[in-house]
PDB file of all heavy atoms in Angstrom:
ATOM      1  N   GLU A1259     -15.812  -3.284  17.930  1.00 92.00           N
ATOM      2  CA  GLU A1259     -16.502  -2.417  17.023  1.00 92.00           C
ATOM      3  C   GLU A1259     -17.670  -1.783  17.725  1.00 92.00           C
ATOM      4  O   GLU A1259     -18.525  -2.451  18.314  1.00 92.00           O
ATOM      5  CB  GLU A1259     -17.004  -3.197  15.767  1.00 92.00           C
ATOM      6  CG  GLU A1259     -17.639  -2.311  14.768  1.00 92.00           C
ATOM      7  CD  GLU A1259     -18.046  -3.042  13.468  1.00 92.00           C
ATOM      8  OE1 GLU A1259     -17.386  -4.003  13.090  1.00 92.00           O
ATOM      9  OE2 GLU A1259     -19.059  -2.592  12.889  1.00 92.00           O
ATOM     10  N   ARG A1262     -20.777   1.377  12.811  1.00 96.00           N
ATOM     11  CA  ARG A1262     -20.414   1.093  11.383  1.00 96.00           C
ATOM     12  C   ARG A1262     -21.262   1.930  10.488  1.00 96.00           C
ATOM     13  O   ARG A1262     -22.506   2.138  10.735  1.00 96.00           O
ATOM     14  CB  ARG A1262     -20.705  -0.361  11.176  1.00 96.00           C
ATOM     15  CG  ARG A1262     -20.409  -0.767   9.697  1.00 96.00           C
ATOM     16  CD  ARG A1262     -20.672  -2.266   9.440  1.00 96.00           C
ATOM     17  NE  ARG A1262     -19.786  -3.101  10.224  1.00 96.00           N
ATOM     18  CZ  ARG A1262     -19.484  -4.327   9.967  1.00 96.00           C
ATOM     19  NH1 ARG A1262     -20.043  -4.930   8.955  1.00 96.00           N
ATOM     20  NH2 ARG A1262     -18.667  -5.021  10.803  1.00 96.00           N
ATOM     21  N   ILE A1263     -20.661   2.447   9.439  1.00 95.00           N
ATOM     22  CA  ILE A1263     -21.395   3.066   8.362  1.00 95.00           C
ATOM     23  C   ILE A1263     -21.243   2.187   7.111  1.00 95.00           C
ATOM     24  O   ILE A1263     -20.138   2.002   6.678  1.00 95.00           O
ATOM     25  CB  ILE A1263     -20.866   4.509   8.041  1.00 95.00           C
ATOM     26  CG1 ILE A1263     -20.897   5.360   9.309  1.00 95.00           C
ATOM     27  CG2 ILE A1263     -21.644   5.149   6.869  1.00 95.00           C
ATOM     28  CD1 ILE A1263     -20.218   6.750   9.154  1.00 95.00           C
ATOM     29  N   ASP A1264     -22.363   1.598   6.679  1.00 92.00           N
ATOM     30  CA  ASP A1264     -22.259   0.671   5.545  1.00 92.00           C
ATOM     31  C   ASP A1264     -22.239   1.384   4.227  1.00 92.00           C
ATOM     32  O   ASP A1264     -22.369   2.607   4.144  1.00 92.00           O
ATOM     33  CB  ASP A1264     -23.293  -0.437   5.665  1.00 92.00           C
ATOM     34  CG  ASP A1264     -24.673  -0.002   5.252  1.00 92.00           C
ATOM     35  OD1 ASP A1264     -24.882   1.139   4.771  1.00 92.00           O
ATOM     36  OD2 ASP A1264     -25.602  -0.799   5.479  1.00 92.00           O
ATOM     37  N   GLU A1266     -24.343   1.679   1.985  1.00 89.00           N
ATOM     38  CA  GLU A1266     -25.571   2.355   1.598  1.00 89.00           C
ATOM     39  C   GLU A1266     -25.855   3.569   2.478  1.00 89.00           C
ATOM     40  O   GLU A1266     -26.906   4.231   2.321  1.00 89.00           O
ATOM     41  CB  GLU A1266     -26.755   1.349   1.665  1.00 89.00           C
ATOM     42  CG  GLU A1266     -26.535   0.279   0.648  1.00 89.00           C
ATOM     43  CD  GLU A1266     -27.729  -0.677   0.558  1.00 89.00           C
ATOM     44  OE1 GLU A1266     -28.811  -0.364   1.091  1.00 89.00           O
ATOM     45  OE2 GLU A1266     -27.575  -1.737  -0.030  1.00 89.00           O
ATOM     46  N   GLY A1267     -24.902   3.875   3.394  1.00 92.00           N
ATOM     47  CA  GLY A1267     -25.104   5.017   4.286  1.00 92.00           C
ATOM     48  C   GLY A1267     -25.810   4.736   5.561  1.00 92.00           C
ATOM     49  O   GLY A1267     -26.071   5.650   6.379  1.00 92.00           O
ATOM     50  N   ASN A1268     -26.229   3.517   5.760  1.00 94.00           N
ATOM     51  CA  ASN A1268     -26.865   3.174   7.036  1.00 94.00           C
ATOM     52  C   ASN A1268     -25.847   3.170   8.146  1.00 94.00           C
ATOM     53  O   ASN A1268     -24.712   2.679   7.990  1.00 94.00           O
ATOM     54  CB  ASN A1268     -27.507   1.761   6.958  1.00 94.00           C
ATOM     55  CG  ASN A1268     -28.688   1.744   5.990  1.00 94.00           C
ATOM     56  OD1 ASN A1268     -29.377   2.760   5.757  1.00 94.00           O
ATOM     57  ND2 ASN A1268     -28.976   0.598   5.408  1.00 94.00           N
ATOM     58  N   VAL A1269     -26.259   3.698   9.321  1.00 96.00           N
ATOM     59  CA  VAL A1269     -25.353   3.785  10.466  1.00 96.00           C
ATOM     60  C   VAL A1269     -25.813   2.794  11.508  1.00 96.00           C
ATOM     61  O   VAL A1269     -26.989   2.858  11.892  1.00 96.00           O
ATOM     62  CB  VAL A1269     -25.318   5.205  11.052  1.00 96.00           C
ATOM     63  CG1 VAL A1269     -24.456   5.257  12.289  1.00 96.00           C
ATOM     64  CG2 VAL A1269     -24.784   6.194   9.986  1.00 96.00           C
ATOM     65  N   GLY A1270     -24.930   1.947  11.999  1.00 96.00           N
ATOM     66  CA  GLY A1270     -25.206   0.991  13.028  1.00 96.00           C
ATOM     67  C   GLY A1270     -24.442   1.334  14.246  1.00 96.00           C
ATOM     68  O   GLY A1270     -23.229   1.438  14.225  1.00 96.00           O
ATOM     69  N   ILE A1271     -25.096   1.497  15.390  1.00 96.00           N
ATOM     70  CA  ILE A1271     -24.411   1.704  16.659  1.00 96.00           C
ATOM     71  C   ILE A1271     -24.732   0.472  17.526  1.00 96.00           C
ATOM     72  O   ILE A1271     -25.862   0.220  17.812  1.00 96.00           O
ATOM     73  CB  ILE A1271     -24.881   2.973  17.344  1.00 96.00           C
ATOM     74  CG1 ILE A1271     -24.542   4.192  16.519  1.00 96.00           C
ATOM     75  CG2 ILE A1271     -24.218   3.116  18.752  1.00 96.00           C
ATOM     76  CD1 ILE A1271     -25.067   5.486  16.982  1.00 96.00           C
ATOM     77  N   ILE A1273     -24.364  -2.429  16.445  1.00 92.00           N
ATOM     78  CA  ILE A1273     -24.858  -3.488  15.538  1.00 92.00           C
ATOM     79  C   ILE A1273     -24.034  -3.463  14.263  1.00 92.00           C
ATOM     80  O   ILE A1273     -23.577  -2.357  13.796  1.00 92.00           O
ATOM     81  CB  ILE A1273     -26.379  -3.248  15.158  1.00 92.00           C
ATOM     82  CG1 ILE A1273     -26.945  -4.444  14.411  1.00 92.00           C
ATOM     83  CG2 ILE A1273     -26.577  -1.950  14.454  1.00 92.00           C
ATOM     84  CD1 ILE A1273     -28.428  -4.446  14.361  1.00 92.00           C
ATOM     85  N   THR A1274     -23.646  -4.602  13.733  1.00 91.00           N
ATOM     86  CA  THR A1274     -22.689  -4.649  12.644  1.00 91.00           C
ATOM     87  C   THR A1274     -23.338  -4.723  11.250  1.00 91.00           C
ATOM     88  O   THR A1274     -22.640  -4.710  10.258  1.00 91.00           O
ATOM     89  CB  THR A1274     -21.697  -5.820  12.767  1.00 91.00           C
ATOM     90  OG1 THR A1274     -22.451  -7.019  12.870  1.00 91.00           O
ATOM     91  CG2 THR A1274     -20.865  -5.672  14.045  1.00 91.00           C
ATOM     92  N   ASN A1275     -24.644  -4.900  11.191  1.00 91.00           N
ATOM     93  CA  ASN A1275     -25.324  -4.981   9.942  1.00 91.00           C
ATOM     94  C   ASN A1275     -26.565  -4.054   9.933  1.00 91.00           C
ATOM     95  O   ASN A1275     -27.654  -4.525   9.913  1.00 91.00           O
ATOM     96  CB  ASN A1275     -25.737  -6.428   9.558  1.00 91.00           C
ATOM     97  CG  ASN A1275     -26.552  -7.096  10.662  1.00 91.00           C
ATOM     98  OD1 ASN A1275     -26.635  -6.554  11.755  1.00 91.00           O
ATOM     99  ND2 ASN A1275     -27.181  -8.173  10.331  1.00 91.00           N
ATOM    100  N   PRO A1276     -26.371  -2.744   9.952  1.00 92.00           N
ATOM    101  CA  PRO A1276     -27.487  -1.833  10.010  1.00 92.00           C
ATOM    102  C   PRO A1276     -28.449  -1.962   8.860  1.00 92.00           C
ATOM    103  O   PRO A1276     -28.053  -2.012   7.739  1.00 92.00           O
ATOM    104  CB  PRO A1276     -26.830  -0.445  10.065  1.00 92.00           C
ATOM    105  CG  PRO A1276     -25.495  -0.611   9.451  1.00 92.00           C
ATOM    106  CD  PRO A1276     -25.090  -2.020   9.721  1.00 92.00           C
ATOM    107  N   ALA A1277     -29.705  -2.052   9.138  1.00 89.00           N
ATOM    108  CA  ALA A1277     -30.735  -2.188   8.167  1.00 89.00           C
ATOM    109  C   ALA A1277     -31.544  -0.907   7.936  1.00 89.00           C
ATOM    110  O   ALA A1277     -32.347  -0.780   7.043  1.00 89.00           O
ATOM    111  CB  ALA A1277     -31.766  -3.258   8.547  1.00 89.00           C
ATOM    112  N   TYR A1278     -31.253   0.159   8.723  1.00 88.00           N
ATOM    113  CA  TYR A1278     -31.979   1.432   8.651  1.00 88.00           C
ATOM    114  C   TYR A1278     -30.990   2.587   8.609  1.00 88.00           C
ATOM    115  O   TYR A1278     -29.796   2.350   8.927  1.00 88.00           O
ATOM    116  CB  TYR A1278     -32.906   1.603   9.861  1.00 88.00           C
ATOM    117  CG  TYR A1278     -33.903   0.458   9.988  1.00 88.00           C
ATOM    118  CD1 TYR A1278     -33.662  -0.588  10.828  1.00 88.00           C
ATOM    119  CD2 TYR A1278     -35.101   0.507   9.214  1.00 88.00           C
ATOM    120  CE1 TYR A1278     -34.563  -1.647  10.955  1.00 88.00           C
ATOM    121  CE2 TYR A1278     -36.014  -0.552   9.331  1.00 88.00           C
ATOM    122  CZ  TYR A1278     -35.759  -1.594  10.204  1.00 88.00           C
ATOM    123  OH  TYR A1278     -36.614  -2.618  10.259  1.00 88.00           O
ATOM    124  N   THR A1279     -31.412   3.776   8.307  1.00 91.00           N
ATOM    125  CA  THR A1279     -30.571   4.921   8.244  1.00 91.00           C
ATOM    126  C   THR A1279     -29.861   5.107   9.564  1.00 91.00           C
ATOM    127  O   THR A1279     -28.609   5.335   9.593  1.00 91.00           O
ATOM    128  CB  THR A1279     -31.404   6.193   7.997  1.00 91.00           C
ATOM    129  OG1 THR A1279     -32.110   5.989   6.739  1.00 91.00           O
ATOM    130  CG2 THR A1279     -30.510   7.410   7.827  1.00 91.00           C
ATOM    131  N   LEU A1280     -30.501   4.832  10.692  1.00 91.00           N
ATOM    132  CA  LEU A1280     -29.874   4.762  12.020  1.00 91.00           C
ATOM    133  C   LEU A1280     -30.436   3.544  12.693  1.00 91.00           C
ATOM    134  O   LEU A1280     -31.638   3.440  12.971  1.00 91.00           O
ATOM    135  CB  LEU A1280     -30.167   6.031  12.871  1.00 91.00           C
ATOM    136  CG  LEU A1280     -29.578   6.012  14.245  1.00 91.00           C
ATOM    137  CD1 LEU A1280     -28.061   5.862  14.202  1.00 91.00           C
ATOM    138  CD2 LEU A1280     -29.957   7.232  15.023  1.00 91.00           C
ATOM    139  N   ASP A1281     -29.574   2.615  12.971  1.00 92.00           N
ATOM    140  CA  ASP A1281     -29.963   1.319  13.566  1.00 92.00           C
ATOM    141  C   ASP A1281     -29.177   1.142  14.845  1.00 92.00           C
ATOM    142  O   ASP A1281     -27.968   1.033  14.827  1.00 92.00           O
ATOM    143  CB  ASP A1281     -29.662   0.149  12.608  1.00 92.00           C
ATOM    144  CG  ASP A1281     -30.462  -1.100  12.863  1.00 92.00           C
ATOM    145  OD1 ASP A1281     -30.997  -1.215  13.984  1.00 92.00           O
ATOM    146  OD2 ASP A1281     -30.506  -1.924  11.970  1.00 92.00           O
ATOM    147  N   VAL A1282     -29.868   1.233  15.991  1.00 92.00           N
ATOM    148  CA  VAL A1282     -29.204   1.222  17.295  1.00 92.00           C
ATOM    149  C   VAL A1282     -29.591  -0.037  18.083  1.00 92.00           C
ATOM    150  O   VAL A1282     -30.762  -0.343  18.202  1.00 92.00           O
ATOM    151  CB  VAL A1282     -29.541   2.509  18.136  1.00 92.00           C
ATOM    152  CG1 VAL A1282     -28.916   2.491  19.495  1.00 92.00           C
ATOM    153  CG2 VAL A1282     -29.202   3.715  17.376  1.00 92.00           C
TER     154      VAL A1282
END
Side-chain angles (χ1 to χ4, degrees):
E1259 183 177 329
R1262 180 180 295 199
I1263 303 172
D1264 74 8
E1266 297 186 14
N1268 294 334
V1269 176
I1271 299 176
I1273 190 165
T1274 59
N1275 55 346
Y1278 302 96
T1279 304
L1280 178 60
D1281 201 342
V1282 178

